[in-house]
């Protein structure tokens, strides 16, 4: 597998999809809901996915493709693309300029290539396994913050109330210690920002594979760490994840990890 070619294909598809999303901010956006009340999908999520899938399938016909908006193409090889065609749909719908396109190429379960594109700021985050991570061509490194005291933290409040409640409960302990908590509403960008050292750590109660596949490679390549809420290697992001610069991982985990998350009392 030529990973440079895979990355070039991913970048060009992500930029084309990003241009569709940029234009979409001015058009009327039809929205329906998916599995629950605050889980919208727009025609732009679907247009973006259709474009990316077409470009990937043309360049790599033997690869599998998993896309959030329903693509589930079996591949003849062990390579599989995982795509979030529009992360931050709620932001996009409101014209809140924090959303992105995310593509990852996995070999089995291992990420090989990652590409996250923010079409508003025209920021392109890329990584190839064991070759480092880049932002618009410049090397990325996680922050050097060494304690939770003063840390800059990203948090995702789930739109499912029962999950969001866990996050609120842990905030009581977190807020007096950290410098600030940011909740951008696009998990893909939170992961990219940890890799870029813009956030020191971030925490999610539940995410899907397409939310994290690219970002986790960026974080690893930029020197950061990811785990589940018990501190174990991440096997299923739907059960929550903590990502960080590595230095504050343990302290952050003790503050918001498993026990706190599942036992509000
Ligand atoms: C959502 C966003 C949001 C996170 C949700 C995700 P979507 O993705 O990343 O920040 O809190 O859990 O589902 O639906 O906009 O692609
Ligand atoms: Ca998403
Ligand atoms: Ca999405």
């Amino acid at each position: 597998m030529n990973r440079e070619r895979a990355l070039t294909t991913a970048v060009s598809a992500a930029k084309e999809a990003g241009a569709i999303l940029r234009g979409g901010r001015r058009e009327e956006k039809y929205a329906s809901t998916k599995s629950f009340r605050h889980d919208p999908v727009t025609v732009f999520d679907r247009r973006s996915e259709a474009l990316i899938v077409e470009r990937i399938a043309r360049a790599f016909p033997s690869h599998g493709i998993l896309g959030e908006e329903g693509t589930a193409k079996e591949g003849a090889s062990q390579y599989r693309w995982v795509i979030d065609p529009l992360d931050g749909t709620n932001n996009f719908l409101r014209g809140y300029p924090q959303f992105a396109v995310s593509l990852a190429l996995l070999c089995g379960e291992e990420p090989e290539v990652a590409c996250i594109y923010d079409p508003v700021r025209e920021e392109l985050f890329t990584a190839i396994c064991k070759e480092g991570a880049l932002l618009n061509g410049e090397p990325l490194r996680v922050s050097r913050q060494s304690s939770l005291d003063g840390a800059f933290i990203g948090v995702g409040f789930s739109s499912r109330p029962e999950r969001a409640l866990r996050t609120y409960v842990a905030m009581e302990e977190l807020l007096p210690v950290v410098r600030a908590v940011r909740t951008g509403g696009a998990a893909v960008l939170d992961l990219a920002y940890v890799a870029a050292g813009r956030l020191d750590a971030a925490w999610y109660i539940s995410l899907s594979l397409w939310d994290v596949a690219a970002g986790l490679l960026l974080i690893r390549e930029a020197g950061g760490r990811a785990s589940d809420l018990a501190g174990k290697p991440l096997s299923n992001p739907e059960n929550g994840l903590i990502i960080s610069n590595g230095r504050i991982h343990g302290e952050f985990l003790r503050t918001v990890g498993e026990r706190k998350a599942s036992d509000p009392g």
Side-chain angles (χ1 to χ4, degrees):
M1 237 293 297
N2 183 332
R3 300 187 306 173
E4 276 75 21
R5 186 174 154 250
L7 183 57
T8 306
T9 306
V11 166
S12 123
K15 285 190 169 174
E16 273 191 83
I20 292 178
L21 302 181
R22 243 193 330 263
R25 290 165 67 211
R26 290 185 295 274
E27 286 181 39
E28 190 170 331
K29 302 169 191 120
Y30 167 76
S32 60
T33 50
K34 289 196 283 192
S35 50
F36 60 99
R37 203 157 60 95
H38 297 304
D39 188 17
V41 60
T42 71
V43 290
F44 292 93
D45 298 69
R46 294 187 175 129
R47 271 185 215 165
S48 172
E49 181 156 317
L51 180 136
I52 294 168
V53 168
E54 197 277 325
R55 299 293 188 270
I56 299 286
R58 182 148 39 108
F60 300 102
S62 68
H63 290 185
I65 309 178
L66 173 71
E68 180 181 7
E69 304 313 332
T71 305
K73 179 179 181 281
E74 293 287 331
S77 76
Q78 77 262 45
Y79 291 101
R80 180 170 58 133
W81 292 82
V82 179
I83 298 161
D84 191 335
L86 167 50
D87 182 65
T89 298
N90 271 312
N91 287 346
F92 174 78
L93 264 173
R94 297 302 306 261
Y96 187 95
Q98 181 80 354
F99 50 86
V101 178
S102 176
L103 284 83
L105 174 62
L106 275 52
C107 179
E109 300 302 313
E110 284 304 306
E112 288 285 335
V113 167
C115 165
I116 290 175
Y117 182 57
D118 169 349
V120 178
R121 298 176 186 86
E122 299 193 52
E123 287 190 324
L124 178 69
F125 300 86
T126 55
I128 294 181
C129 183
K130 298 201 168 61
E131 289 186 17
L134 304 173
L135 165 53
N136 290 344
E138 296 295 321
L140 280 188
R141 206 65 205 156
V142 292
S143 76
R144 297 181 59 78
Q145 176 72 24
S146 59
S147 73
L148 207 50
D149 188 349
F152 209 54
I153 301 292
V155 165
F157 287 103
S158 173
S159 37
R160 293 174 190 257
E162 72 284 3
R163 288 183 184 163
L165 186 63
R166 295 177 180 187
T167 314
Y168 289 123
V169 169
M171 280 300 126
E172 216 175 307
E173 207 152 328
L174 202 59
L175 282 170
V177 182
V178 299
R179 177 181 299 262
V181 171
R182 294 288 177 261
T183 177
V188 155
L189 288 178
D190 282 353
L191 270 76
Y193 288 4
V194 170
R198 292 175 180 173
L199 291 170
D200 301 313
W203 166 47
Y204 275 87
I205 292 292
S206 178
L207 286 176
S208 300
L209 182 59
W210 43 75
D211 296 313
V212 303
L216 288 176
L217 180 61
L218 284 168
I219 289 168
R220 195 163 81 195
E221 291 299 317
R225 188 178 156 196
S227 75
D228 69 12
L229 299 181
K232 301 203 182 74
L234 192 60
S235 56
N236 181 2
E238 293 192 4
N239 296 330
L241 76 155
I242 285 178
I243 50 176
S244 77
N245 64 0
R247 294 177 177 222
I248 62 168
H249 205 89
E251 204 188 346
F252 192 38
L253 198 57
R254 284 192 292 282
T255 311
V256 301
E258 193 89 276
R259 189 183 59 79
K260 299 276 166 33
S262 58
D263 177 16

